[in-house]
Amino acid sequence: MTSGELSLPDLVEFYARRIEAEPSLNAFLDVYAEEAIDRARQVQEKWRSGEAAPLAGAVLAIKDNIAIQGKKLTCASRILADFVSPYNATVIERLLAADAIILGKTNMDEFAMGSSNENSAVAPVHHPHDPERVPGGSSGGSAVAVAADLCTAALGSDTGGSIRQPAAFCGVVGLKPTYGRVSRFGLVAFASSLDQIGPFGRNVEDVARLLNVISGHDPMDSTSAPDPVPDFTQNLHTPPESLTIGLPVEYLSDEVQPEIVQAIETAKSLFADAGYSVREVHLPMTEYCIAAYYIICTAEASSNLARYDGARYGYRAAGAQDLEEMYRRTRSEGFGKEVKRRIMLGTYVLSAGYYDAYYRRALKVRTLIRRDFNQVFEACDVLLTPTTPTTAFRMGEKVQDPVSMYLSDIFTVSANLAGIPAISVPAGTDAQGLPIGVQLLGRPFDEATLLRTAAFLESHLK
Ligand code: GLN
């Protein structure tokens, strides 16, 4: 585009045609092709007159739990099937101000609950390299859109791994920022103390560019942090002079697929060969992460999803005789199985008599998990782990067994519980050609070091 060989409207059209050519992936729920082409013309004008903002040229896909004014915001749920957002999420305002083009909304697990994208009320998303396999979840549509070349980059949300796990399965880069780094205003709440919006890209640099734009304090989100936002692209390709990389031994159990363990070994030697110090560390609370996560996230979800009552917005069941019946039928018909399971679990762990045994105890465990990370980050700059225990699994494989589905998040939920930033970087493929992801975790608000380390790994793995 810089040399004038390709125009920006042509690029948008190329992606729109790619989306049409790949309908069976089910990656998109809504595509704004015409509008995006019009906007591409305007951005190109600005560009030619040298006035374009930093994301001019980027054609983006947005997970359908992020609000865009005048567009459907469905969370891939029946209960919001016809809901149109009256306002923009802060991240959308920032992307538009940076001259990004928004091409459409991506499919997801209903209300971002899932690890396989089989919980979408619309249709499951398929893996780009093997239609029999899952792309990961819950931001599977965004991961596939980037991996299958249906857009330049994308936004997803990550509550327990929903950016990093699908990024790993699909062979792209995905970042969960520090809690508070990116405004959640206009992100439909799942578990508010864990949710963060973050970018997907085909490389670390694209992810850094997007993070530059979406980060920063927002008065509309009381949990957004006042910390200054550095330019994450600065020095991105200059490897840090010295680094201490920690390898949490708890993350390399026998249950990890051997090729993924091999990928960690490879990354480890690349770091060591570059002169970085690599050492084993311990995160003893690791075995409690999944339990704590699925208590806290369901508790918060049961509270957040109480607002879908058929009275204020969204779907309302017809023909009810009284208010209670209207609530009951609306929620029975509007929510899918997994969402109902989470609401019931969350209501249970918060109920009088169980609150202390489950919810309060999970919060205490969360504090201990944080403490584990604080301790290792006294000596280490970055931690290296697998993103997932296996590569992309088969569709249907875990549908009947929610616990085995929940266990696929075993390496990702800790970053959300601790609030720290984490990124998944592609690291080759397994014997069946399925992508492998390695995860790097960083200190709170030190995405700069995390991204530089990821860029080092990316360039050396190539
Ligand atoms: N797979 C996890 C869950 O089902 C994480 C989801 C997410 O990060 N949104 O809760």
Side-chain angles (χ1 to χ4, degrees), residues 306-344:
R307 72 189 67 173
Y308 305 102
D309 58 6
R312 282 169 288 190
Y313 45 74
Y315 175 75
R316 178 188 297 179
Q321 296 304 309
D322 56 33
L323 185 64
E324 199 182 311
E325 191 190 347
M326 190 279 281
Y327 286 157
R328 193 166 51 235
R329 284 183 34 190
T330 294
R331 290 168 66 85
S332 299
E333 293 164 21
F335 290 134
K337 217 169 153 184
E338 180 62 24
V339 176
K340 286 179 193 160
R341 176 162 30 232
R342 305 257 178 138
I343 292 172
M344 286 190 282

Side-chain angles (χ1 to χ4, degrees), residues 131-215:
E132 299 298 306
R133 292 190 185 260
V134 304
S138 64
S139 317
S142 290
V144 170
V146 174
D149 207 11
L150 313 180
C151 61
T152 317
L155 289 189
S157 67
D158 191 313
T159 304
S162 280
I163 292 174
R164 291 158 287 154
Q165 186 250 24
F169 278 10
C170 295
V172 298
V173 182
L175 170 78
K176 182 202 87 74
T178 309
Y179 185 78
R181 178 60 102 184
V182 177
S183 168
R184 291 182 296 111
F185 181 69
L187 169 67
V188 177
F190 160 14
S192 311
S193 78
L194 302 160
D195 299 341
Q196 267 297 283
I197 295 172
F200 285 93
R202 277 190 280 277
N203 52 56
V204 175
E205 186 166 340
D206 283 356
V207 162
R209 283 172 197 263
L210 277 187
L211 188 66
N212 271 354
V213 170
I214 63 174
S215 295

Side-chain angles (χ1 to χ4, degrees), residues 63 112-115 137-138 157-163 190 293-294 297 342 406 409 416:
K63 187 179 184 179
M113 298 173 187
S115 312
S138 64
S157 67
D158 191 313
T159 304
S162 280
I163 292 174
F190 160 14
Y293 171 78
Y294 276 97
C297 85
R342 305 257 178 138
Y406 295 172
D409 303 324
N416 303 75

